[in-house]
Amino acid sequence: MKKKDFQTRAIHGKEENFARALNPPIFMTSTFSFPDLKQAEGVFDFKAPGYVYTRGNNPTLKLFEERMADLEEGAEAVAFATGMAAISSTLLSLLIPGDELLAHRVLYGSSHKVVRELLPRYEIKTRQLDMTRPEELKKAISPDTRAVFLETPANPTLDILDIKKIKEIIGPDVFLVVDNTVATPYWQRPLTKGADVVVHSATKYISGHGDALGGVAVCGDREYAGYLKFNFLTELGGVLSPFNAWLMLRGLKTLKVRMVEHGANALEIAQFLKAHPKVEKVFFPGLADHPGHELASEQMDGFGALLSFELKGGQEAARHLLSGLELIKIAVSLGDTETLIEYPFAMTHRDYSPEELEMFGLNESLVRISVGLENAEDLIADLEGALEKI
Ligand SMILES: *Cc1c(COP(=O)(O)O)cnc(C)c1O
Protein backbone atom coordinates (compact mmCIF):
# COMPACT_ATOMS: atom_id res chain seq x y z
CA MET A 1 0.00 0.00 0.00
CA LYS A 2 1.21 3.51 -0.81
CA LYS A 3 2.68 5.33 2.17
CA LYS A 4 0.16 7.83 3.44
CA ASP A 5 0.80 11.55 3.44
CA PHE A 6 2.47 13.28 6.43
CA GLN A 7 -0.76 14.96 7.51
CA THR A 8 -2.70 11.69 7.47
CA ARG A 9 0.02 9.93 9.48
CA ALA A 10 0.17 12.84 11.95
CA ILE A 11 -3.48 12.20 12.75
CA HIS A 12 -3.78 8.44 12.52
CA GLY A 13 -0.40 6.82 13.17
CA LYS A 14 -0.65 3.24 14.29
CA GLU A 15 -4.15 2.40 15.44
CA GLU A 16 -4.46 1.02 18.96
CA ASN A 17 -7.63 -0.35 20.36
CA PHE A 18 -8.19 1.37 23.68
CA ALA A 19 -11.96 0.69 23.94
CA ARG A 20 -12.15 2.16 20.42
CA ALA A 21 -11.54 5.60 21.87
CA LEU A 22 -10.92 8.12 19.08
CA ASN A 23 -8.21 9.72 21.21
CA PRO A 24 -5.87 7.68 23.37
CA PRO A 25 -6.38 7.50 27.11
CA ILE A 26 -3.81 9.19 29.32
CA PHE A 27 -2.24 6.40 31.36
CA MET A 28 -1.50 8.35 34.51
CA THR A 29 -0.02 5.47 36.41
CA SER A 30 3.44 5.07 37.88
CA THR A 31 3.45 1.28 37.85
CA PHE A 32 1.77 -1.73 36.21
CA SER A 33 0.72 -4.92 37.97
CA PHE A 34 1.11 -8.54 36.85
CA PRO A 35 -1.43 -11.35 37.16
CA ASP A 36 1.31 -13.70 38.37
CA LEU A 37 5.06 -14.00 38.73
CA LYS A 38 5.46 -15.99 35.54
CA GLN A 39 3.96 -13.12 33.53
CA ALA A 40 6.21 -10.64 35.35
CA GLU A 41 9.30 -12.68 34.46
CA GLY A 42 8.30 -12.72 30.80
CA VAL A 43 7.95 -8.94 30.69
CA PHE A 44 11.23 -8.40 32.55
CA ASP A 45 12.97 -10.63 29.99
CA PHE A 46 11.42 -8.62 27.12
CA LYS A 47 9.80 -11.89 26.03
CA ALA A 48 6.18 -11.00 26.75
CA PRO A 49 4.48 -7.69 25.92
CA GLY A 50 3.65 -5.51 28.89
CA TYR A 51 4.68 -2.57 30.97
CA VAL A 52 6.62 -2.40 34.24
CA TYR A 53 6.99 1.19 35.39
CA THR A 54 6.38 4.51 33.64
CA ARG A 55 10.04 5.55 33.82
CA GLY A 56 10.69 2.61 31.49
CA ASN A 57 7.56 2.66 29.37
CA ASN A 58 3.91 3.65 29.30
CA PRO A 59 1.26 3.20 26.58
CA THR A 60 0.62 6.95 26.08
CA LEU A 61 4.36 7.63 25.83
CA LYS A 62 4.75 4.74 23.43
CA LEU A 63 2.12 6.19 21.10
CA PHE A 64 3.89 9.53 21.04
CA GLU A 65 7.24 7.83 20.36
CA GLU A 66 5.79 5.78 17.52
CA ARG A 67 4.15 8.82 15.97
CA MET A 68 7.37 10.85 16.11
CA ALA A 69 9.48 8.00 14.69
CA ASP A 70 7.04 7.72 11.80
CA LEU A 71 6.92 11.46 11.04
CA GLU A 72 10.72 11.82 11.22
CA GLU A 73 11.16 8.63 9.15
CA GLY A 74 13.27 7.06 11.89
CA ALA A 75 13.42 3.56 13.34
CA GLU A 76 12.46 4.36 16.92
CA ALA A 77 11.97 7.37 19.17
CA VAL A 78 12.59 7.98 22.86
CA ALA A 79 10.45 10.59 24.63
CA PHE A 80 11.95 12.87 27.27
CA ALA A 81 10.66 15.37 29.81
CA THR A 82 12.12 18.35 27.95
CA GLY A 83 14.19 19.14 24.91
CA MET A 84 17.24 19.57 27.14
CA ALA A 85 16.71 16.13 28.71
CA ALA A 86 16.68 14.66 25.18
CA ILE A 87 19.79 16.58 24.13
CA SER A 88 21.89 16.05 27.27
CA SER A 89 20.96 12.36 27.56
CA THR A 90 21.73 11.76 23.87
CA LEU A 91 25.12 13.48 24.05
CA LEU A 92 26.03 11.68 27.29
CA SER A 93 25.08 8.36 25.69
CA LEU A 94 27.58 8.92 22.86
CA LEU A 95 30.62 10.34 24.62
CA ILE A 96 33.11 9.10 27.20
CA PRO A 97 36.23 10.78 28.63
CA GLY A 98 38.79 11.44 25.91
CA ASP A 99 36.19 11.65 23.13
CA GLU A 100 35.61 14.82 21.20
CA LEU A 101 32.35 16.50 20.22
CA LEU A 102 32.26 19.02 17.40
CA ALA A 103 29.35 21.44 17.38
CA HIS A 104 28.22 24.34 15.28
CA ARG A 105 29.24 27.83 16.41
CA VAL A 106 25.62 28.76 17.18
CA LEU A 107 23.54 26.57 19.50
CA TYR A 108 20.45 26.96 21.64
CA GLY A 109 21.55 28.63 24.91
CA SER A 110 21.30 25.61 27.22
CA SER A 111 22.81 23.28 24.60
CA HIS A 112 25.70 25.73 24.31
CA LYS A 113 26.21 25.44 28.06
CA VAL A 114 26.16 21.63 27.96
CA VAL A 115 28.74 21.65 25.18
CA ARG A 116 30.94 24.38 26.59
CA GLU A 117 30.78 23.75 30.34
CA LEU A 118 29.15 20.45 31.35
CA LEU A 119 30.73 17.91 28.99
CA PRO A 120 34.29 19.23 29.52
CA ARG A 121 33.82 18.53 33.26
CA TYR A 122 33.82 14.84 32.32
CA GLU A 123 36.97 15.21 30.21
CA ILE A 124 35.02 15.22 26.99
CA LYS A 125 36.66 17.57 24.53
CA THR A 126 34.29 19.94 22.78
CA ARG A 127 34.85 22.43 20.00
CA GLN A 128 32.51 24.82 18.25
CA LEU A 129 33.15 25.91 14.72
CA ASP A 130 31.43 27.41 11.71
CA MET A 131 29.69 24.51 9.97
CA THR A 132 28.27 26.75 7.26
CA ARG A 133 31.82 26.18 5.91
CA PRO A 134 32.17 22.40 5.66
CA GLU A 135 35.91 22.75 4.84
CA GLU A 136 36.44 23.88 8.43
CA LEU A 137 34.74 20.77 9.72
CA LYS A 138 36.92 18.59 7.50
CA LYS A 139 40.03 20.16 9.04
CA ALA A 140 38.73 19.89 12.61
CA ILE A 141 38.01 16.14 12.66
CA SER A 142 40.47 14.13 14.73
CA PRO A 143 40.71 10.43 15.64
CA ASP A 144 38.92 11.33 18.90
CA THR A 145 35.91 12.90 17.18
CA ARG A 146 32.94 10.77 18.17
CA ALA A 147 29.94 12.97 17.45
CA VAL A 148 28.82 16.14 15.69
CA PHE A 149 25.95 18.22 17.04
CA LEU A 150 24.13 20.97 15.22
CA GLU A 151 20.86 22.82 14.77
CA THR A 152 19.56 23.87 11.38
CA PRO A 153 18.12 26.47 11.10
CA ALA A 154 20.26 27.71 13.99
CA ASN A 155 18.71 30.62 15.77
CA PRO A 156 19.06 33.56 16.27
CA THR A 157 20.83 34.16 12.93
CA LEU A 158 19.07 31.23 11.21
CA ASP A 159 22.21 29.63 9.79
CA ILE A 160 21.38 26.78 7.43
CA LEU A 161 23.73 23.80 7.59
CA ASP A 162 24.08 21.15 4.90
CA ILE A 163 23.17 17.91 6.71
CA LYS A 164 23.99 15.64 3.78
CA LYS A 165 27.38 17.21 3.13
CA ILE A 166 28.29 17.20 6.83
CA LYS A 167 27.49 13.48 7.12
CA GLU A 168 29.58 12.79 4.02
CA ILE A 169 32.52 14.60 5.62
CA ILE A 170 32.35 12.94 9.03
CA GLY A 171 31.64 9.45 7.68
CA PRO A 172 29.67 6.54 9.10
CA ASP A 173 31.65 6.17 12.35
CA VAL A 174 30.94 9.65 13.72
CA PHE A 175 27.40 10.14 15.05
CA LEU A 176 25.50 13.10 13.64
CA VAL A 177 22.95 14.60 16.05
CA VAL A 178 20.62 17.22 14.59
CA ASP A 179 18.29 19.44 16.62
CA ASN A 180 15.23 19.77 14.36
CA THR A 181 13.14 21.92 16.72
CA VAL A 182 12.96 25.00 14.51
CA ALA A 183 12.12 23.23 11.24
CA THR A 184 9.90 20.42 12.64
CA PRO A 185 9.49 17.15 10.71
CA TYR A 186 6.89 18.85 8.55
CA TRP A 187 9.58 20.96 6.90
CA GLN A 188 12.71 18.87 7.32
CA ARG A 189 13.56 15.23 8.03
CA PRO A 190 17.28 15.08 8.85
CA LEU A 191 17.39 11.27 9.20
CA THR A 192 16.69 11.00 5.46
CA LYS A 193 19.73 13.24 4.83
CA GLY A 194 22.20 11.23 6.88
CA ALA A 195 21.63 12.29 10.51
CA ASP A 196 21.87 9.45 13.05
CA VAL A 197 19.67 11.02 15.71
CA VAL A 198 17.17 13.87 15.57
CA VAL A 199 16.43 15.68 18.82
CA HIS A 200 13.52 17.99 19.50
CA SER A 201 12.23 20.39 22.03
CA ALA A 202 8.63 19.20 21.66
CA THR A 203 7.79 22.15 23.90
CA LYS A 204 7.83 24.28 20.76
CA TYR A 205 5.93 23.55 17.53
CA ILE A 206 5.10 19.92 18.34
CA SER A 207 3.07 20.92 21.36
CA GLY A 208 2.37 24.17 19.54
CA HIS A 209 0.35 25.91 22.21
CA GLY A 210 2.93 26.97 24.76
CA ASP A 211 1.37 24.85 27.48
CA ALA A 212 3.64 21.84 27.97
CA LEU A 213 7.32 20.91 28.10
CA GLY A 214 8.55 17.84 26.28
CA GLY A 215 11.39 16.40 24.24
CA VAL A 216 12.17 13.49 22.00
CA ALA A 217 15.14 11.80 20.34
CA VAL A 218 14.32 9.99 17.10
CA CYS A 219 16.93 7.41 16.17
CA GLY A 220 17.80 5.94 12.80
CA ASP A 221 18.95 2.74 14.47
CA ARG A 222 16.67 0.63 16.65
CA GLU A 223 19.49 -0.86 18.70
CA TYR A 224 20.89 2.56 19.60
CA ALA A 225 17.37 3.72 20.56
CA GLY A 226 17.10 0.84 23.04
CA TYR A 227 20.52 1.69 24.47
CA LEU A 228 19.52 5.35 24.86
CA LYS A 229 16.19 4.44 26.44
CA PHE A 230 17.32 1.79 28.89
CA ASN A 231 20.57 3.41 29.98
CA PHE A 232 20.10 7.13 29.70
CA LEU A 233 16.36 7.81 29.81
CA THR A 234 15.43 5.35 32.54
CA GLU A 235 18.62 5.78 34.57
CA LEU A 236 19.06 9.55 34.32
CA GLY A 237 15.29 9.80 34.64
CA GLY A 238 14.22 12.66 32.38
CA VAL A 239 10.91 10.97 31.57
CA LEU A 240 7.97 12.71 29.87
CA SER A 241 4.69 12.81 31.75
CA PRO A 242 1.94 10.73 30.07
CA PHE A 243 -0.28 13.78 30.27
CA ASN A 244 2.24 15.82 28.28
CA ALA A 245 2.65 12.97 25.78
CA TRP A 246 -1.08 13.20 25.18
CA LEU A 247 -0.79 16.96 24.62
CA MET A 248 2.05 16.34 22.15
CA LEU A 249 -0.03 13.78 20.26
CA ARG A 250 -2.82 16.32 20.08
CA GLY A 251 -0.39 18.99 18.88
CA LEU A 252 0.94 16.76 16.11
CA LYS A 253 -2.50 16.45 14.54
CA THR A 254 -2.44 20.13 13.58
CA LEU A 255 1.32 20.46 13.02
CA LYS A 256 1.00 20.82 9.26
CA VAL A 257 -1.80 23.38 9.25
CA ARG A 258 -0.06 25.40 11.93
CA MET A 259 3.32 25.31 10.18
CA VAL A 260 1.84 26.45 6.87
CA GLU A 261 0.17 29.39 8.59
CA HIS A 262 3.20 30.20 10.81
CA GLY A 263 5.38 30.18 7.69
CA ALA A 264 3.11 32.42 5.62
CA ASN A 265 2.89 34.93 8.48
CA ALA A 266 6.67 34.86 8.96
CA LEU A 267 7.32 35.59 5.30
CA GLU A 268 4.96 38.57 5.34
CA ILE A 269 6.58 39.97 8.46
CA ALA A 270 10.10 39.39 7.12
CA GLN A 271 9.21 41.30 3.95
CA PHE A 272 7.64 44.12 5.92
CA LEU A 273 10.72 44.44 8.17
CA LYS A 274 13.11 44.28 5.25
CA ALA A 275 11.41 47.28 3.63
CA HIS A 276 11.30 49.31 6.85
CA PRO A 277 13.75 52.25 7.08
CA LYS A 278 14.50 51.65 10.79
CA VAL A 279 15.53 48.05 10.19
CA GLU A 280 19.15 47.39 9.30
CA LYS A 281 19.07 43.68 8.43
CA VAL A 282 16.62 40.76 8.50
CA PHE A 283 17.64 37.13 9.08
CA PHE A 284 15.06 34.80 7.56
CA PRO A 285 15.96 31.89 5.26
CA GLY A 286 12.83 32.54 3.21
CA LEU A 287 14.31 35.83 1.93
CA ALA A 288 16.29 35.42 -1.28
CA ASP A 289 19.29 37.36 0.11
CA HIS A 290 19.73 35.15 3.21
CA PRO A 291 23.04 33.27 2.86
CA GLY A 292 21.25 29.96 3.50
CA HIS A 293 18.31 30.57 1.17
CA GLU A 294 19.42 28.29 -1.64
CA LEU A 295 20.42 25.43 0.64
CA ALA A 296 17.20 25.79 2.65
CA SER A 297 15.20 25.58 -0.60
CA GLU A 298 16.81 22.20 -1.31
CA GLN A 299 17.03 20.75 2.17
CA MET A 300 13.70 21.92 3.59
CA ASP A 301 10.12 21.99 2.38
CA GLY A 302 9.59 25.46 3.88
CA PHE A 303 11.57 28.15 5.67
CA GLY A 304 10.31 28.07 9.22
CA ALA A 305 8.68 30.86 11.16
CA LEU A 306 11.49 32.13 13.31
CA LEU A 307 13.24 35.30 12.27
CA SER A 308 15.48 37.94 13.71
CA PHE A 309 16.43 41.42 12.69
CA GLU A 310 18.85 44.17 13.55
CA LEU A 311 17.56 47.65 14.22
CA LYS A 312 19.30 50.87 13.30
CA GLY A 313 20.05 52.59 16.59
CA GLY A 314 21.32 49.69 18.71
CA GLN A 315 20.22 49.05 22.26
CA GLU A 316 18.19 52.26 22.58
CA ALA A 317 16.10 51.33 19.53
CA ALA A 318 15.64 47.72 20.67
CA ARG A 319 14.40 48.80 24.10
CA HIS A 320 11.93 51.25 22.54
CA LEU A 321 10.66 48.62 20.13
CA LEU A 322 9.96 46.09 22.86
CA SER A 323 8.22 48.59 25.10
CA GLY A 324 6.09 49.88 22.23
CA LEU A 325 4.45 46.55 21.35
CA GLU A 326 0.93 45.70 22.45
CA LEU A 327 -0.06 42.45 20.76
CA ILE A 328 3.33 40.78 20.48
CA LYS A 329 4.49 39.40 23.83
CA ILE A 330 7.97 39.74 25.31
CA ALA A 331 8.87 36.15 26.07
CA VAL A 332 11.45 33.46 25.42
CA SER A 333 10.46 30.18 23.71
CA LEU A 334 9.04 29.75 20.23
CA GLY A 335 6.50 27.81 18.26
CA ASP A 336 3.44 28.96 20.18
CA THR A 337 0.19 30.29 18.73
CA GLU A 338 1.14 33.69 20.19
CA THR A 339 3.81 35.79 18.51
CA LEU A 340 6.76 36.18 20.89
CA ILE A 341 9.61 38.64 20.78
CA GLU A 342 12.86 38.40 22.68
CA TYR A 343 15.95 40.57 22.90
CA PRO A 344 18.88 38.15 23.32
CA PHE A 345 21.40 40.84 24.31
CA ALA A 346 19.39 41.74 27.44
CA MET A 347 17.57 38.44 28.02
CA THR A 348 18.74 34.93 27.00
CA HIS A 349 22.31 35.88 26.11
CA ARG A 350 22.90 38.62 28.68
CA ASP A 351 25.81 36.85 30.40
CA TYR A 352 27.70 36.07 27.19
CA SER A 353 31.25 37.30 26.83
CA PRO A 354 32.02 39.61 23.90
CA GLU A 355 33.80 36.67 22.29
CA GLU A 356 30.71 34.44 22.63
CA LEU A 357 28.44 37.18 21.28
CA GLU A 358 30.67 37.43 18.25
CA MET A 359 30.70 33.67 17.80
CA PHE A 360 26.90 33.71 17.77
CA GLY A 361 26.73 36.70 15.41
CA LEU A 362 24.78 38.50 18.10
CA ASN A 363 24.83 42.17 18.96
CA GLU A 364 22.83 44.76 20.85
CA SER A 365 20.75 45.60 17.77
CA LEU A 366 19.30 42.13 17.27
CA VAL A 367 15.81 41.04 18.27
CA ARG A 368 14.16 37.69 17.55
CA ILE A 369 10.55 36.97 16.73
CA SER A 370 8.74 33.63 16.84
CA VAL A 371 5.87 34.36 14.50
CA GLY A 372 2.56 33.04 15.80
CA LEU A 373 -0.82 32.38 14.28
CA GLU A 374 -2.50 35.76 14.72
CA ASN A 375 -3.60 37.69 11.65
CA ALA A 376 -0.48 38.94 9.80
CA GLU A 377 -1.89 42.43 9.23
CA ASP A 378 -2.53 42.84 12.95
CA LEU A 379 1.02 41.72 13.73
CA ILE A 380 2.49 44.09 11.17
CA ALA A 381 0.39 46.97 12.54
CA ASP A 382 1.75 46.22 16.03
CA LEU A 383 5.35 46.24 14.76
CA GLU A 384 4.75 49.35 12.69
CA GLY A 385 3.36 51.21 15.68
CA ALA A 386 6.29 50.21 17.89
CA LEU A 387 8.88 51.03 15.19
CA GLU A 388 7.33 54.47 14.84
CA LYS A 389 7.99 55.15 18.54
CA ILE A 390 11.74 54.53 18.19
C1 LIG B 1 13.76 25.29 23.42
C2 LIG B 1 14.85 24.62 22.69
C3 LIG B 1 15.59 23.59 23.29
C4 LIG B 1 15.35 23.16 24.72
O1 LIG B 1 14.12 22.59 24.89
P1 LIG B 1 13.31 22.55 26.29
O2 LIG B 1 12.08 21.80 25.94
O3 LIG B 1 13.08 23.96 26.70
O4 LIG B 1 14.19 21.83 27.25
C5 LIG B 1 16.56 22.98 22.54
N1 LIG B 1 16.82 23.35 21.26
C6 LIG B 1 16.13 24.34 20.66
C7 LIG B 1 16.47 24.70 19.26
C8 LIG B 1 15.13 25.00 21.35
O5 LIG B 1 14.47 25.99 20.75
Side-chain angles (χ1 to χ4, degrees):
M1 201 163 59
K2 187 176 161 285
K3 188 170 180 173
K4 292 191 175 58
D5 178 71
F6 182 95
Q7 174 59 8
T8 307
R9 290 183 286 125
I11 293 175
H12 288 280
K14 199 172 115 196
E15 307 294 343
E16 289 272 356
N17 180 9
F18 295 123
R20 303 204 62 79
L22 188 62
N23 282 294
I26 309 169
F27 283 87
M28 289 302 280
T29 181
S30 55
T31 196
F32 298 82
S33 66
F34 302 95
D36 51 53
L37 185 59
K38 197 162 178 303
Q39 185 72 19
E41 287 174 318
V43 173
F44 272 84
D45 282 342
F46 296 98
K47 287 196 177 117
Y51 297 88
V52 175
Y53 187 63
T54 286
R55 184 151 46 72
N57 218 341
N58 173 294
T60 318
L61 292 179
K62 189 155 169 266
L63 277 179
F64 172 57
E65 290 171 340
E66 284 171 352
R67 191 92 27 119
M68 281 305 302
D70 182 40
L71 296 178
E72 282 285 7
E73 301 185 36
E76 209 162 299
V78 184
F80 287 89
T82 63
M84 283 322 300
I87 291 165
S88 56
S89 302
T90 300
L91 294 179
L92 282 171
S93 79
L94 297 172
L95 300 160
I96 57 169
D99 286 348
E100 182 183 51
L101 171 74
L102 299 177
H104 181 50
R105 157 177 78 77
V106 179
L107 294 173
Y108 176 76
S110 296
S111 301
H112 178 67
K113 201 157 174 175
V114 168
V115 168
R116 211 173 155 94
E117 293 177 27
L118 266 53
L119 294 176
R121 289 180 50 164
Y122 304 98
E123 288 171 30
I124 293 160
K125 293 173 274 184
T126 65
R127 226 178 113 184
Q128 283 171 271
L129 51 118
D130 185 0
M131 294 192 188
T132 61
R133 293 143 52 95
E135 337 62 90
E136 279 201 23
L137 176 63
K138 204 178 232 166
K139 274 190 266 164
I141 295 174
S142 78
D144 293 336
T145 308
R146 202 68 58 222
V148 167
F149 176 45
L150 58 90
E151 298 163 19
T152 180
N155 90 83
T157 48
L158 287 311
D159 292 346
I160 307 291
L161 306 178
D162 192 333
I163 300 169
K164 212 176 195 167
K165 190 175 270 174
I166 287 170
K167 185 60 189 179
E168 272 167 25
I169 290 173
I170 65 177
D173 296 336
V174 177
F175 243 73
L176 177 58
V177 182
V178 176
D179 182 332
N180 200 29
T181 300
V182 172
T184 81
Y186 178 62
W187 275 330
Q188 173 174 277
R189 289 158 304 280
L191 293 168
T192 67
K193 305 264 190 284
D196 296 290
V197 186
V198 164
V199 289
H200 274 281
S201 170
T203 311
K204 314 293 168 55
Y205 294 105
I206 288 171
S207 145
H209 294 74
D211 50 15
L213 297 174
V216 63
V218 189
C219 312
D221 181 70
R222 203 174 291 280
E223 205 174 311
Y224 168 71
Y227 167 75
L228 177 65
K229 188 177 185 104
F230 293 110
N231 294 286
F232 291 86
L233 171 72
T234 57
E235 317 307 15
L236 294 180
V239 173
L240 185 66
S241 156
F243 183 76
N244 283 12
W246 181 84
L247 284 172
M248 302 302 163
L249 280 163
R250 189 170 73 152
L252 283 174
K253 293 186 189 199
T254 55
L255 181 66
K256 175 195 167 174
V257 287
R258 284 185 287 109
M259 295 321 284
V260 169
E261 198 67 18
H262 276 298
N265 273 357
L267 183 61
E268 274 193 60
I269 289 174
Q271 284 165 342
F272 160 78
L273 289 169
K274 196 170 158 50
H276 200 284
K278 289 185 183 173
V279 174
E280 179 72 39
K281 207 167 169 185
V282 181
F283 299 95
F284 181 63
L287 294 176
D289 64 353
H290 186 276
H293 178 71
E294 212 173 301
L295 175 57
S297 310
E298 287 167 30
Q299 182 167 267
M300 304 171 70
D301 301 327
F303 299 106
L306 195 64
L307 58 92
S308 53
F309 58 101
E310 286 176 7
L311 288 156
K312 290 180 183 157
Q315 188 161 172
E316 179 87 8
R319 287 182 185 275
H320 272 105
L321 174 78
L322 263 73
S323 58
L325 292 164
E326 285 169 15
L327 189 60
I328 298 174
K329 298 283 180 284
I330 302 172
V332 301
S333 201
L334 56 105
D336 299 345
T337 50
E338 292 80 3
T339 297
L340 307 177
I341 195 164
E342 86 119 340
Y343 180 32
F345 186 75
M347 294 168 62
T348 45
H349 298 66
R350 62 177 293 128
D351 60 352
Y352 277 35
S353 65
E355 168 238 334
E356 281 175 298
L357 288 173
E358 192 181 318
M359 182 165 97
F360 273 62
L362 251 171
N363 59 44
E364 59 172 25
S365 304
L366 186 128
V367 293
R368 187 193 79 180
I369 296 187
S370 163
V371 179
L373 297 177
E374 303 93 334
N375 174 278
E377 274 173 42
D378 290 338
L379 292 171
I380 288 170
D382 198 31
L383 284 165
E384 197 157 30
L387 283 163
E388 227 151 76
K389 289 178 204 150
I390 294 176

Coordinates of all heavy atoms in Angstrom, one line a residue, residues 38 48 92 100 121 127 133 147 160 163 169 187 222 238 240 279 289 292-294 309 327-328 341 346:
K38 N 5.0 -15.5 36.8 CA 5.5 -16.0 35.5 C 5.3 -14.9 34.5 O 6.3 -14.7 33.7 CB 4.6 -17.2 35.2 CG 5.2 -18.1 34.1 CD 4.6 -19.5 34.1 CE 5.2 -20.3 33.0 NZ 5.0 -19.7 31.6
A48 N 7.6 -11.2 26.8 CA 6.2 -11.0 26.8 C 5.9 -9.5 26.7 O 6.6 -8.7 27.2 CB 5.5 -11.6 28.0
L92 N 25.3 12.5 26.3 CA 26.0 11.7 27.3 C 26.1 10.2 26.9 O 27.0 9.5 27.2 CB 25.3 11.8 28.6 CG 25.6 13.1 29.4 CD1 24.7 13.2 30.6 CD2 27.1 13.1 29.9
E100 N 35.8 13.4 21.6 CA 35.6 14.8 21.2 C 34.3 15.0 20.5 O 33.8 14.2 19.7 CB 36.7 15.2 20.2 CG 36.6 16.7 19.8 CD 37.7 17.1 18.8 OE1 37.8 16.3 17.8 OE2 38.4 18.1 19.0
R121 N 33.6 19.0 31.9 CA 33.8 18.5 33.3 C 34.1 17.0 33.3 O 34.6 16.5 34.3 CB 32.6 18.8 34.1 CG 32.4 20.3 34.4 CD 31.2 20.5 35.2 NE 31.2 19.7 36.4 CZ 30.4 19.8 37.5 NH1 29.6 20.8 37.5 NH2 30.4 19.0 38.5
R127 N 34.4 21.3 20.8 CA 34.8 22.4 20.0 C 33.7 22.9 19.2 O 32.9 22.1 18.6 CB 36.0 21.9 19.1 CG 37.1 22.8 19.0 CD 38.2 22.2 18.2 NE 38.3 23.1 17.0 CZ 39.1 22.8 16.0 NH1 39.8 21.7 15.9 NH2 39.2 23.7 15.0
R133 N 30.6 26.4 6.8 CA 31.8 26.2 5.9 C 32.3 24.8 6.2 O 33.2 24.6 7.0 CB 32.9 27.2 6.2 CG 32.5 28.7 5.8 CD 33.0 29.7 6.8 NE 34.4 29.5 7.0 CZ 35.3 30.2 6.4 NH1 35.0 31.2 5.5 NH2 36.6 30.1 6.6
A147 N 31.3 12.5 17.8 CA 29.9 13.0 17.4 C 30.0 14.4 17.0 O 30.9 15.2 17.4 CB 29.0 12.8 18.6
I160 N 21.8 28.0 8.0 CA 21.4 26.8 7.4 C 22.6 25.9 7.2 O 23.6 26.4 6.5 CB 20.6 27.0 6.1 CG1 19.5 28.0 6.3 CG2 20.1 25.7 5.5 CD1 18.3 27.6 7.1
I163 N 23.1 19.2 6.0 CA 23.2 17.9 6.7 C 23.8 16.8 5.9 O 24.7 16.1 6.4 CB 21.7 17.5 7.1 CG1 21.1 18.6 8.0 CG2 21.7 16.1 7.8 CD1 19.6 18.3 8.2
I169 N 31.2 14.2 5.1 CA 32.5 14.6 5.6 C 32.9 13.8 6.8 O 34.0 13.3 6.9 CB 32.6 16.1 6.0 CG1 32.5 16.9 4.7 CG2 33.8 16.5 6.8 CD1 32.4 18.4 4.9
W187 N 8.8 20.2 7.9 CA 9.6 21.0 6.9 C 10.9 20.3 6.6 O 11.6 20.7 5.7 CB 9.8 22.4 7.3 CG 8.6 23.3 6.8 CD1 7.9 23.1 5.7 CD2 8.1 24.5 7.5 NE1 6.9 24.1 5.6 CE2 7.0 24.9 6.6 CE3 8.4 25.2 8.6 CZ2 6.3 26.1 7.0 CZ3 7.7 26.3 8.9 CH2 6.6 26.7 8.1
R222 N 17.5 1.1 15.6 CA 16.7 0.6 16.7 C 17.5 0.2 17.9 O 17.1 0.4 19.0 CB 15.9 -0.6 16.1 CG 14.6 -0.9 16.9 CD 13.9 -2.0 16.2 NE 13.3 -1.6 14.9 CZ 12.2 -0.9 14.7 NH1 11.5 -0.6 15.8 NH2 11.8 -0.6 13.5
G238 N 14.9 11.5 32.9 CA 14.2 12.7 32.4 C 13.0 12.2 31.6 O 12.9 12.5 30.4
L240 N 9.1 11.9 30.2 CA 8.0 12.7 29.9 C 6.8 12.2 30.7 O 6.5 11.0 30.8 CB 7.7 12.6 28.4 CG 6.6 13.5 27.7 CD1 7.0 14.9 27.8 CD2 6.3 13.1 26.3
V279 N 15.0 49.4 10.1 CA 15.5 48.0 10.2 C 16.8 47.9 9.3 O 16.8 48.3 8.2 CB 14.5 47.0 9.8 CG1 15.1 45.6 9.8 CG2 13.3 47.0 10.7
D289 N 17.9 36.9 -0.2 CA 19.3 37.4 0.1 C 19.9 36.7 1.4 O 21.0 37.1 1.8 CB 19.4 38.9 0.2 CG 18.5 39.5 1.3 OD1 17.8 38.7 2.0 OD2 18.6 40.7 1.5
G292 N 21.6 31.4 3.5 CA 21.2 30.0 3.5 C 20.0 29.7 2.6 O 19.5 28.6 2.6
H293 N 19.6 30.7 1.9 CA 18.3 30.6 1.2 C 18.3 29.4 0.2 O 17.4 28.6 0.2 CB 18.0 31.9 0.4 CG 16.7 31.8 -0.4 ND1 15.5 31.7 0.2 CD2 16.5 31.7 -1.7 CE1 14.6 31.6 -0.7 NE2 15.2 31.6 -1.9
E294 N 19.4 29.3 -0.6 CA 19.4 28.3 -1.6 C 19.4 26.9 -1.0 O 18.7 26.0 -1.4 CB 20.7 28.5 -2.5 CG 20.5 28.1 -3.9 CD 21.7 28.5 -4.7 OE1 22.0 29.7 -4.8 OE2 22.3 27.6 -5.3
F309 N 16.1 40.2 13.5 CA 16.4 41.4 12.7 C 17.2 42.4 13.5 O 17.1 42.4 14.8 CB 15.2 42.1 12.1 CG 14.1 42.5 13.0 CD1 14.0 43.9 13.4 CD2 13.2 41.6 13.6 CE1 13.1 44.3 14.3 CE2 12.3 42.0 14.5 CZ 12.2 43.4 14.8
L327 N 0.4 43.8 21.1 CA -0.1 42.5 20.8 C 1.0 41.4 21.0 O 0.8 40.4 21.6 CB -0.5 42.5 19.3 CG -1.3 41.3 18.8 CD1 -2.6 41.1 19.6 CD2 -1.6 41.5 17.3
I328 N 2.2 41.7 20.5 CA 3.3 40.8 20.5 C 3.9 40.8 21.9 O 4.2 41.8 22.5 CB 4.4 41.2 19.4 CG1 3.8 41.1 18.0 CG2 5.6 40.3 19.5 CD1 4.6 41.6 16.9
I341 N 8.4 37.9 21.1 CA 9.6 38.6 20.8 C 10.6 38.5 21.9 O 10.2 38.6 23.1 CB 9.3 40.1 20.4 CG1 10.5 40.8 19.7 CG2 8.9 40.9 21.6 CD1 10.1 42.1 19.0
A346 N 19.8 41.4 26.1 CA 19.4 41.7 27.4 C 18.7 40.6 28.2 O 18.5 40.6 29.4 CB 18.5 43.0 27.4

